[in-house]
Amino acid sequence: MQVHAVPAFQDNYLWVVAEGARAAVVDPGDAAPIERFLEAHGLELTAILATHHHGDHVGGLLSLASHWRCPVFGPAHEAIEGIQTRLTEGDRITVPGLDLPLSVLDVPGHTAGHIAYVRSGPDPMVFCGDTMFACGCGRLFEGTPEQMSASLAKLARLPEATRVYCAHEYTLANIRFAEAVEPGNARLAERKARDQATRARGEPTVPSTVGEERATNPFLRCDVPEVVASAERHAGRKLSGPVEVFAEIREWKNTF
Ligand SMILES: [Zn+2]
């Protein structure tokens, strides 16, 4: 099984999971680059999965579904036209056409009904949409800091080797912010050097892994003393715990 990043728009990745001549797509914001990819690789589309309702994640969904007549999965609690199987935490599916079992997590915060798809076992992976990014996290459009930090904690509890397929190439900007929050983090400095080299070669910095995110992503490190100190300095006051620290650095990132 192979997972391919199909670039779209400015900085989106649409994910194509392929096995043999069959493929599923996660978050098809645009149908055209997916159709080109399928054609170029001789693939048949057998399933469509969506994480949340934003247009850059579902804009190509109806066109692909009508062309390929394949099943469409998505969040139970968001209004997305074309979803046939509506999923919520604890649901399990086997992706049609692929030998790929996935379980579903509710990860509200970026949007109210956002879900993530988790593959457990020896080759673990998670498709987390706009919830966790490489070294960052999504904006809080519909949820609270409490919800988003709980959602990120859920993702951070996945096994360390879990590959994190997020939906945007924001990594270098996220690392610049992470350095401002936690300048003493040696793992972050290593990550910066590696990811800068990756981008210089024109390659995606994603997927990362849950282990790497735990070590370097400031939004997963709201109980680390240096992160707390930076958040309190930025706030100009004492903060009462990890959720307040999370809320402060999320606000700070919006204007960084
Ligand atoms: Zn989004």
Side-chain angles (χ1 to χ4, degrees):
M1 182 171 305
Q2 289 184 304
V3 185
H4 303 275
V6 177
F9 310 117
Q10 289 281 17
D11 49 34
N12 283 72
Y13 292 129
L14 321 181
W15 295 109
V16 173
V17 186
E19 188 169 49
R22 292 174 169 167
V25 63
V26 183
D27 284 352
D30 191 1
I34 296 298
E35 294 285 17
R36 283 195 298 272
F37 185 90
L38 295 170
E39 165 117 40
H41 293 81
L43 293 165
E44 171 198 357
L45 192 68
T46 57
I48 299 169
L49 293 86
T51 62
H52 68 292
H53 68 83
H54 286 158
D56 62 326
H57 295 252
V58 297
L61 188 155
L62 287 175
S63 161
L64 289 168
S66 83
H67 176 192
W68 294 95
R69 310 226 161 262
C70 62
V72 183
F73 300 85
H77 304 296
E78 298 203 344
I80 302 171
E81 199 184 345
I83 301 286
Q84 298 154 354
T85 304
R86 300 165 69 82
L87 301 169
T88 190
E89 178 130 348
D91 285 339
R92 291 168 182 278
I93 61 169
T94 298
V95 178
L98 307 182
D99 181 21
L100 176 62
L102 296 174
S103 58
V104 175
L105 294 176
D106 286 331
V107 286
H110 177 69
T111 62
H114 200 304
I115 62 172
Y117 297 92
V118 178
R119 183 206 196 180
S120 309
D123 183 21
M125 57 183 84
V126 60
F127 296 94
C128 57
D130 288 349
T131 300
M132 183 153 73
F133 291 129
C135 217
C137 75
R139 287 177 186 255
L140 306 188
F141 287 120
E142 298 173 11
T144 64
E146 286 80 2
Q147 287 176 318
M148 189 60 148
S149 51
S151 295
L152 292 171
K154 228 182 249 186
L155 297 173
R157 282 194 295 273
L158 295 170
E160 282 204 347
T162 306
R163 279 177 283 144
V164 178
Y165 291 94
C166 64
H168 289 273
E169 179 63 62
Y170 290 157
T171 312
L172 295 185
N174 286 343
I175 288 174
R176 278 193 293 280
F177 177 69
E179 282 185 308
V181 176
E182 201 182 3
N185 184 336
R187 288 281 303 275
L188 186 59
E190 285 167 27
R191 181 176 195 173
K192 181 185 184 185
R194 189 201 61 200
D195 285 347
Q196 280 180 331
T198 302
R199 291 307 292 152
R201 294 194 301 272
E203 294 169 10
T205 59
V206 291
S208 61
T209 64
V210 164
E212 184 166 39
E213 295 308 326
R214 278 189 215 154
T216 57
N217 188 327
F219 296 100
L220 306 185
R221 297 171 61 77
C222 293
D223 54 352
V224 171
E226 189 178 25
V227 175
V228 175
S230 292
E232 291 185 338
R233 197 162 49 243
H234 188 261
R237 64 185 177 92
K238 274 271 179 217
L239 299 171
S240 71
V243 172
E244 274 206 353
V245 171
F246 173 82
E248 184 62 32
I249 63 173
R250 185 54 265 184
E251 279 292 318
W252 180 6
K253 174 70 167 63
N254 290 345
T255 56
F256 184 74

